[in-house]
Amino acid sequence: MLGGMSSATLAAMTIKARVRAGRLVVDEPTTLPEGTELELLPLDPGDWLDDADRAALHAALAQSEADVAAGRLVDAADVLKGLRSR
């Protein structure tokens, strides 16, 4: 627990800040305990992939493209029907 609050509570919390004169300014009330440390992330950071994750994503996309080209497809309705019958 961090300052008496669970990490799940902190993870679901959104705090907005703006940059003014090179400083982060938060102008929202909060119930966080005094001294609570926060990690702020940009609202639109792009993606969080490192080089290895990006390479794995591109490999998976290439494999998927190859499956489509080879006709190795399964209709979504058939997949859902099979899941419902379990």
Side-chain angles (χ1 to χ4, degrees):
M1 303 227 342
L2 177 64
M5 299 182 75
S6 72
S7 60
T9 301
L10 290 176
M13 182 178 287
T14 300
I15 296 176
K16 293 181 183 178
R18 295 199 183 276
V19 177
R20 289 195 192 124
R23 300 289 228 178
L24 294 171
V25 178
V26 178
D27 189 22
E28 295 186 17
T30 180
T31 57
L32 293 171
E34 189 71 26
T36 298
E37 186 174 291
L38 302 174
E39 183 174 330
L40 301 176
L41 302 172
L43 194 56
D44 183 19
D47 65 48
W48 301 98
L49 300 177
D50 61 20
D51 290 341
D53 288 338
R54 187 173 318 288
L57 171 62
H58 286 278
L61 290 171
Q63 180 61 52
S64 178
E65 200 171 291
D67 288 340
V68 169
R72 292 186 295 265
L73 303 173
V74 179
D75 190 277
D78 293 338
V79 172
L80 293 173
K81 185 178 177 182
L83 290 171
R84 287 185 190 114
S85 68
R86 289 184 181 182

